[in-house]
Amino acid sequence: MNRRSQPNWSRRDLLSGAAFTLIPPAAPSQAPWWRRTLRWGQTNISEEDPLHYDIDWWRAHWRRTRVQGVIVNAGGIVAYYPSRHPLHYRARFLGERDLYGELTRAAHRDGLAVLARMDSNRASEEFYRAHPDWFAHDAEGRPYRAGEHYIACIDGPYYEEYLPAILREIIAWEKPEGFTDNSWSGLERDQICYCRSSRERFRRETGEDLPRRKDWDDPVWRAWFDWSMKRRLEIWDLNNRTTRQAGGPDCLWVGMLSGDLIGQGRRLRDVKAILERSEIILLDDQGRNDATGFQRNAELGKRLHGLAGWDKLMPESMATYQRAPTFRKASAAAAEARQWMYAGFAGGIQPWWHHVGAWQPDRRQFETAVPVFEWHAANEAWLVGRRPVASVGVVFSDRNTDYYGRDEAEERVARPYYGIIQALVRARIPYLPVHADHIDRDGRDLAALVLPNLAAMTVGQIEAVERYVARGGGLLATGETSLYNEWGEPRPDFGLARLLGVRFTGRRHGSLGEAESWTGSDHTYLRLHPETAGTVYGPRRAGPAPQKPRHSVLAGFEATDVIAFGGLLVEVEPAARSVVPLTFIPHFPAYPPEFSWMRTPHTTIPALVLQEESRVAYLAADVDRRFARDNLPDHGDLLANLIRWVARDRLPVEVRGPGLLDCHLYRQGDRLILHLVNLTSPGAWRAPAHEIVPVGPLEVRFRLPGGVAGVRARLLVSQSAVAVRREGEWAVASVPSVDGHEVLVLE
Ligand SMILES: [Zn+2]
């Protein structure tokens, strides 16, 4: 199933003497399906498909796209086999056909793994009428509904008895390798179920009555939130016990997750605990949105691998249909769909094409996956069995998302985090997402950590950061970092006050909102010190000449004394010996222009506080959040300068040349593997991408780690060898051109 294949070296390479053999690491031949199934396909069966499913054509398409596993709809919301359970709703046009069984047998004949797809969440009105107490109800006793379906309660017999019986029936009918389900976790955080099962279970396990409403400060609601997360883990484990008992130890139930930084907590899913306990991660995260771009796919792959482990596979459903806005029967723009796939490879994600319906009037979608999957099959050996290389860690935590972010997690948590990620992508600095509970483990090899508004921190997490800096690591903390405890309750001062060299005055300036420069109070700036305006091109004005050079974190801003801000600033008092290169300029009118002049051009309110000895930077102005919002290049440049400074310029790779490129570096044995994803064209337009314009040539410089000879390099997409020269500790190679993406292997 997992045939290894060598890339085809061209005849020209052989003649030039530049060819060399890349010997891929041995793939585990006896490994279970969840360790060796690298490419997946899914035809999500719609109700009419039993009438005309062309299985022969699909088998040929499986071969053409080199998939090793398929996802086949089995049961739950709709049954695609003649289930014996009378309330198990059969597909409208199923008749007596056994489409699930036919497809599973066909896939097995072709040597493919099969995951049976379930949708556990919802059932028909007929089912609800038969067992109303198995379904979720609100405080007034009304059933929760999704369209015309009813939402089953995860605390009752539907999940405890009925679904296990369905799983056993499917296994007995035609045994799949495992099960997947993206609607498995019941109601979301804003909906409390008051059915008898939930009431009794909550009282039994916590001694309390169910909370009447969501209230982040109510201890009972907090207990309900944690209990709800735990209950979903119990369901995960129950499903796995059921499928393993009935189908053998490798018959896994693997659910499904999205890679959304803040969305899983809202769905009451404890992502960290789930990733730790699952042998393979199925991701339902089918494309980008405008705000975060393709680079989000590499980021989420690395973030989730950091929690799950890098040995696990992480296939991701990738839409071949037009996803946002959704048109299930129209093809996605091929450039858009493929670029999402390439970005996923750079984050350690495996491809999985997804069509909705076995018949498609828009047949362009069938070509989308072909070249990508062919390339993946030819180069799979270099895409797994490797570890990321980075010197900068970006810290996140679910606790901060849930208890500090609360109902504003997008603004308070996601934007600062992605602002930092965008700055790193733009500066081509490889990074590693680091969970706040893993700072000791993951921080060992990192030159610097970034804490983007990591406001809610436990004492243990604060101590881990202190240990990290004591060992010589650099630190950039922004905004309200460590100003709250793990329940999202404010602390009187920063938990990291001593390390950051600041004391919280209790005051804040500006706001979290949209910058309303014309009418609002967000027409604010940051002043750079010392000022230089008198010395550069422009009209003269009386004032002192600069006495000393500026700090290196302000490199590139020589011709300005201010940069735009507009965000929220936490007022602090810096400790003695701190360096304050940026201060706050408060709001003044933007309109009418006659009144648009700085009322208070100078303050002593610090926007940035540096500790030179320890390389610790505290950015009191939430420039990271503003960068994610406004995309102002000054904000990205300032963040990149700060990150380079706290990391003492210890970066493992440098990429030179024009363009917007997402760079991800890996180590595999005695080689380095660098992904370059071309974001240049999509970066200048909005989704979907219509066309990818190649960039290059690029000069790539690797700081050679021990054990990597760094004498020869090969490009896996353009299939050519490239010359490597040495410059001290650097190995330097030139990449002529990058189309959608390129992968450079250095040995
Ligand atoms: Zn319930």
Side-chain angles (χ1 to χ4, degrees):
M1 203 182 281
N2 186 25
R3 285 188 303 275
R4 286 188 281 114
S5 43
Q6 297 278 348
N8 283 328
W9 300 154
S10 73
R11 183 173 154 74
R12 197 178 48 125
D13 293 336
L14 296 167
L15 291 174
S16 72
F20 62 91
T21 311
L22 287 172
I23 302 169
S29 55
Q30 295 307 310
W33 66 268
W34 33 271
R35 279 289 156 96
R36 59 179 153 76
T37 310
L38 299 182
R39 285 172 298 283
W40 293 82
Q42 180 182 12
T43 312
N44 224 322
I45 309 176
S46 57
E47 278 201 282
E48 61 161 352
D49 285 341
L51 295 175
H52 48 58
Y53 202 118
D54 186 351
I55 292 181
D56 288 342
W57 185 89
W58 282 101
R59 289 176 76 176
H61 193 60
W62 297 341
R63 280 193 296 280
R64 190 167 176 229
T65 52
R66 313 285 204 276
V67 297
Q68 299 166 316
V70 289
I71 289 125
V72 180
N73 302 56
I77 189 168
V78 176
Y80 285 98
Y81 66 100
S83 170
R84 286 190 303 271
H85 292 264
L87 290 170
H88 196 187
Y89 172 80
R90 285 191 200 180
R92 188 160 157 199
F93 300 106
L94 185 69
E96 287 305 307
R97 192 172 178 186
D98 169 25
L99 190 53
Y100 163 71
E102 289 173 46
L103 284 163
T104 300
R105 286 187 290 277
H108 283 161
R109 273 200 299 280
D110 292 348
L112 272 55
V114 173
L115 286 179
R117 180 189 186 276
M118 299 276 293
D119 182 324
S120 298
N121 245 9
R122 280 154 286 186
S124 64
E125 178 163 2
E126 186 191 4
F127 204 136
Y128 172 75
R129 299 273 167 235
H131 296 282
D133 52 333
W134 291 13
F135 288 80
H137 289 81
D138 66 17
E140 277 71 50
R142 292 173 305 222
Y144 284 107
R145 295 176 60 166
E148 44 188 55
H149 288 91
Y150 291 73
I151 299 176
C153 176
I154 68 161
D155 296 321
Y158 188 90
Y159 273 75
E160 295 263 331
E161 293 161 24
Y162 170 73
L163 284 174
I166 296 297
L167 294 171
R168 283 191 290 268
E169 182 183 66
I170 291 168
I171 290 169
W173 189 266
E174 194 63 54
K175 190 169 99 61
E177 271 58 37
F179 287 82
T180 183
D181 186 339
N182 60 353
S183 298
W184 59 273
S185 53
L187 293 177
E188 302 195 356
R189 190 177 70 195
D190 292 346
Q191 301 166 313
I192 299 171
C193 177
Y194 296 91
C195 81
R196 201 184 56 198
S197 301
S198 298
R199 283 200 319 268
E200 289 176 356
R201 188 180 290 272
F202 187 69
R203 172 155 277 288
R204 199 165 59 238
E205 296 182 17
T206 68
E208 302 280 353
D209 287 331
L210 285 165
R212 298 308 295 169
R213 68 190 67 79
K214 181 168 76 176
D215 178 355
W216 288 96
D217 295 316
D218 171 12
V220 177
W221 186 84
R222 288 176 181 174
W224 174 85
F225 182 51
D226 287 354
W227 172 82
S228 298
M229 290 252 190
K230 189 168 95 4
R231 176 63 188 153
R232 279 146 184 88
L233 293 178
E234 288 172 5
I235 294 295
W236 188 283
D237 293 342
L238 167 66
N239 289 341
N240 267 285
R241 277 200 307 279
T242 305
T243 57
R244 290 183 196 206
Q245 271 166 13
D250 287 335
C251 189
L252 309 183
W253 184 94
V254 297
M256 220 182 275
L257 292 173
S258 96
D260 186 353
L261 179 72
I262 60 172
Q264 296 300 289
R266 223 161 28 220
R267 300 187 75 177
L268 299 166
R269 297 170 174 182
D270 183 340
V271 171
K272 183 164 175 284
I274 290 170
L275 292 173
E276 285 165 358
R277 71 185 60 209
S278 190
E279 296 289 359
I280 181 171
I281 317 303
L282 270 83
L283 291 176
D284 181 10
D285 212 310
Q286 302 191 34
R288 67 162 164 167
N289 53 44
D290 262 347
T292 49
F294 295 112
Q295 57 272 31
R296 192 175 74 86
N297 213 16
E299 181 277 323
L300 76 89
K302 291 175 97 170
R303 174 162 41 83
L304 299 186
H305 269 301
L307 297 172
W310 281 90
D311 293 330
K312 292 176 183 171
L313 298 179
M314 200 173 280
E316 176 185 67
S317 176
M318 294 156 164
T320 59
Y321 57 86
Q322 168 57 39
R323 197 189 124 270
T326 302
F327 292 97
R328 298 282 209 185
K329 293 297 171 188
S331 294
E336 174 76 19
R338 288 173 184 159
Q339 209 61 18
W340 182 249
M341 296 175 182
Y342 298 145
F345 300 165
I349 282 172
Q350 289 79 47
W352 154 10
W353 50 248
H354 180 205
H355 302 278
V356 176
W359 165 256
Q360 297 296 343
D362 183 346
R363 307 168 74 82
R364 296 172 294 181
Q365 64 189 276
F366 296 124
E367 297 295 339
T368 302
V370 175
V372 183
F373 279 58
E374 283 175 343
W375 180 85
H376 191 276
N379 295 284
E380 64 184 37
W382 291 281
L383 302 174
V384 291
R386 56 190 198 172
R387 294 285 180 279
V389 178
S391 58
V392 175
V394 185
V395 183
F396 67 97
S397 88
D398 34 286
R399 201 80 198 176
N400 187 49
T401 300
D402 295 333
Y403 278 100
Y404 169 69
R406 298 192 174 189
D407 298 319
E408 295 177 296
E410 179 69 32
E411 201 59 54
R412 293 170 176 269
V413 177
R415 283 220 164 95
Y417 176 84
Y418 283 113
I420 294 292
I421 298 291
Q422 306 289 18
L424 287 161
V425 168
R426 193 166 161 275
R428 303 168 178 176
I429 298 173
Y431 63 86
L432 204 59
V434 174
H435 193 280
D437 288 338
H438 292 164
I439 287 172
D440 284 325
R441 185 194 77 181
D442 293 350
R444 273 196 296 270
D445 301 324
L446 297 171
L449 289 179
V450 183
L451 275 48
N453 208 26
L454 194 74
M457 292 180 75
T458 66
V459 170
Q461 291 165 353
I462 287 168
E463 289 171 351
V465 173
E466 288 170 343
R467 281 193 294 276
Y468 174 79
V469 173
R471 287 196 302 269
L475 180 72
L476 167 61
T478 75
E480 303 202 296
T481 291
S482 80
L483 211 42
Y484 295 77
N485 67 15
E486 65 266 40
W487 297 105
E489 296 162 341
R491 291 187 164 108
D493 199 356
F494 297 92
L496 288 167
R498 196 181 52 78
L499 205 61
L500 302 179
V502 294
R503 190 185 68 80
F504 179 42
T505 66
R507 289 184 288 275
R508 291 175 175 80
H509 302 270
S511 76
L512 269 185
E514 192 89 45
E516 295 280 357
S517 306
W518 291 109
T519 53
S521 60
D522 295 315
H523 189 227
T524 63
Y525 293 76
L526 303 179
R527 182 168 295 281
L528 288 63
H529 299 276
E531 292 167 60
T532 63
T535 62
V536 296
Y537 177 70
R540 301 281 146 175
R541 185 165 165 176
Q547 281 114 37
K548 54 179 184 175
R550 276 185 178 170
H551 197 279
S552 65
V553 300
L554 301 183
F557 294 106
E558 287 75 15
T560 180
D561 288 334
V562 297
I563 56 176
F565 176 44
L568 181 72
L569 182 137
V570 178
E571 191 186 290
V572 297
E573 220 169 75
R577 291 196 307 282
S578 301
V579 177
V580 180
L582 289 173
T583 52
F584 179 63
I585 301 171
H587 172 80
F588 57 92
Y591 187 84
E594 288 81 353
F595 297 114
S596 189
W597 52 277
M598 284 183 189
R599 304 297 194 274
T600 314
H602 293 89
T603 70
T604 57
I605 301 168
L608 173 64
V609 180
L610 306 179
Q611 308 303 317
E612 290 276 357
E613 280 295 302
S614 53
R615 293 282 171 128
V616 171
Y618 171 63
L619 187 57
D622 60 355
V623 173
D624 44 357
R625 188 179 63 83
R626 291 308 324 178
F627 186 45
R629 264 198 109 120
D630 305 333
N631 198 30
L632 299 186
D634 282 351
H635 291 169
D637 289 342
L638 175 65
L639 293 170
N641 281 355
L642 281 168
I643 290 166
R644 285 199 196 90
W645 182 74
V646 297
R648 295 180 160 85
D649 287 312
R650 283 190 211 136
L651 306 180
V653 67
E654 289 177 14
V655 179
R656 298 176 181 174
L660 180 62
L661 294 152
D662 193 12
C663 306
H664 294 274
L665 185 64
Y666 292 87
R667 174 89 185 246
Q668 186 191 54
D670 55 3
R671 59 174 70 104
L672 291 173
I673 300 170
L674 177 68
H675 287 251
L676 301 164
V677 184
N678 182 7
L679 305 176
T680 310
S681 323
W685 192 244
R686 59 201 178 90
H690 297 194
E691 179 189 14
I692 305 298
V693 179
V695 296
L698 304 167
E699 184 184 86
V700 181
R701 304 166 63 83
F702 296 92
R703 194 192 298 267
L704 282 179
V708 178
V711 292
R712 53 192 193 176
R714 179 123 206 131
L715 301 174
L716 296 182
V717 176
S718 51
Q719 297 198 26
S720 59
V722 289
V724 182
R725 67 172 198 276
R726 289 291 290 272
E727 286 181 16
E729 60 180 331
W730 298 88
V732 184
S734 176
V735 178
S737 178
V738 177
D739 195 350
H741 72 144
E742 185 54 271
V743 180
L744 191 156
V745 181
L746 177 75
E747 288 191 330

